[in-house]
Amino acid sequence: MFLADCQARLAFDLMTNTWNAVVVWSLRHGPRRPGRLREEIGGISVKVLTETLRRLEFNGLVARRAYAEAPPRVEYELTDLGRSLLGPIEAFGEWAFHHADEVMAAQDRYEPAP
Amino acid sequence: MFLADCQARLAFDLMTNTWNAVVVWSLRHGPRRPGRLREEIGGISVKVLTETLRRLEFNGLVARRAYAEAPPRVEYELTDLGRSLLGPIEAFGEWAFHHADEVMAAQDRYEPAP
DNA sequence: CGGAATCCTATATGATACTG
DNA sequence: CAGTATCATATAGGATTCCG
């Protein structure tokens, strides 16, 4: 189905960035301003959040709206395309919820081959 | 549901490595030797494949079997835990299959904000 | 406030050569 | 063949500073 140069590699390029999925997910309930996104996400620098939002915008997952006010106000929200990704992302969230303990147990058990 | 330090961040750490999901997916049909994995995946170096397999092993997704033969033979296969990840991975593959054209169209349309 | 610019560091990846 | 070691590079990420 995928591997090498096929289309799913595209989806992987979208999701293998550390923050892409996290930011998409944090926009699931509606438009958000960058400052609030940073609070909700936690541990992401201004620079990386901006870069991530630009990348998501470039790929059509997120729309940016700037208002002509002072101080400036900007909001980001998911496009229809971005919302269509919430299901697959949630599938991973569900997986983690149900299997995180097994992963951690495996990590404890692990020892390198001789 | 996730963000910050919760469990789904664990799943993200598993999937945000460029090759983790690709390698798991390439093992979906059963045990594979490293050489064949490299052929099927394409574009992955020996070093990175080895590192990825070690990481998947460490997290309990993949099992390694070495046979005492000459020349050496090694096989990797998914554990039950690894197989449980195929569903979520496939969800992304399906998404890509259905939306790749929209993403590419968005990329063509994109122009940076002034 | 949003974000661009700069600098610095850590990590990821690849190519190559070498070992058992 | 499987895997390690080494080197070299590219990318990601963070911290800080400055601007409109």
Side-chain angles (χ1 to χ4, degrees):
Chain A
M1 181 183 178
F2 35 76
L3 306 181
D5 291 319
C6 77
Q7 288 173 323
R9 202 74 159 235
L10 170 70
F12 281 17
D13 290 342
L14 286 180
M15 300 319 294
T16 52
N17 269 305
T18 311
W19 298 105
N20 279 10
V22 174
V23 171
V24 169
W25 187 251
S26 69
L27 287 169
R28 68 194 178 287
H29 293 312
R32 288 285 183 277
R33 299 179 65 173
R36 176 145 177 215
L37 279 178
R38 286 197 58 208
E39 287 172 26
E40 288 184 9
I41 293 173
I44 187 173
S45 67
V46 183
K47 178 192 159 195
V48 172
L49 177 60
T50 303
E51 286 172 350
T52 303
L53 287 167
R54 289 285 172 285
R55 188 168 45 235
L56 294 174
E57 217 190 331
F58 173 69
N59 287 290
L61 304 177
V62 159
R64 176 183 188 272
R65 271 203 310 261
Y67 300 86
E69 301 174 4
R73 183 163 66 96
V74 173
E75 283 184 345
Y76 294 91
E77 68 177 335
L78 293 180
T79 61
D80 288 342
L81 187 57
R83 267 184 292 274
S84 73
L85 205 46
L86 289 176
I89 291 175
E90 189 167 13
F92 272 107
E94 288 294 324
W95 184 90
F97 183 76
H98 292 297
H99 299 286
D101 54 335
E102 299 173 60
V103 172
M104 290 185 291
Q107 291 177 354
D108 290 339
R109 224 181 302 120
Y110 180 78
E111 46 188 283
Chain B
M1 180 179 175
F2 35 77
L3 307 180
D5 291 320
C6 77
Q7 289 172 322
R9 202 74 159 233
L10 170 71
F12 281 18
D13 290 342
L14 287 180
M15 301 318 296
T16 53
N17 269 307
T18 311
W19 299 104
N20 279 11
V22 175
V23 171
V24 169
W25 186 252
S26 69
L27 287 169
R28 69 194 177 287
H29 294 312
R32 287 285 184 276
R33 300 179 64 173
R36 177 147 177 213
L37 280 179
R38 285 197 58 205
E39 287 172 24
E40 289 185 7
I41 294 173
I44 186 173
S45 68
V46 183
K47 179 191 158 197
V48 170
L49 177 60
T50 303
E51 288 172 350
T52 303
L53 287 166
R54 290 285 172 283
R55 186 167 48 234
L56 295 173
E57 218 190 329
F58 172 70
N59 288 291
L61 303 177
V62 159
R64 176 183 188 273
R65 272 203 310 261
Y67 300 86
E69 301 175 3
R73 184 163 66 97
V74 175
E75 283 183 346
Y76 294 91
E77 67 178 336
L78 293 180
T79 61
D80 288 342
L81 186 57
R83 266 184 293 274
S84 73
L85 204 46
L86 289 177
I89 290 176
E90 189 167 13
F92 272 108
E94 288 294 325
W95 183 89
F97 183 76
H98 292 296
H99 299 286
D101 53 336
E102 298 174 62
V103 173
M104 291 185 290
Q107 291 177 355
D108 290 340
R109 225 179 303 120
Y110 180 79
E111 45 188 284

